[in-house]
Amino acid sequence: MADLALVFHWRPADMDPMSVADLMEWRERARERHERQE
């Protein structure tokens, strides 16, 4: 969840209703975006 907060500026409350599968999918997107920015 820290990855999502860092990349997308989401608060924990924004992610709380998401399923684990959704969080995993968004985490991968965050990883890809972060790697493109470096």
Side-chain angles (χ1 to χ4, degrees), residues 4 8 23-33:
L4 300 178
F8 297 121
L23 289 169
M24 291 173 57
E25 183 178 323
W26 279 104
R27 186 197 178 278
E28 178 61 18
R29 292 179 188 181
R31 183 192 64 78
E32 291 171 353
R33 182 178 290 190

Side-chain angles (χ1 to χ4, degrees), residues 5-35:
L6 175 70
V7 175
F8 297 121
H9 308 284
W10 291 353
R11 301 169 301 146
D14 298 326
M15 296 175 272
D16 190 47
M18 300 174 87
S19 70
V20 172
D22 285 339
L23 289 169
M24 291 173 57
E25 183 178 323
W26 279 104
R27 186 197 178 278
E28 178 61 18
R29 292 179 188 181
R31 183 192 64 78
E32 291 171 353
R33 182 178 290 190
H34 182 71
E35 286 181 356

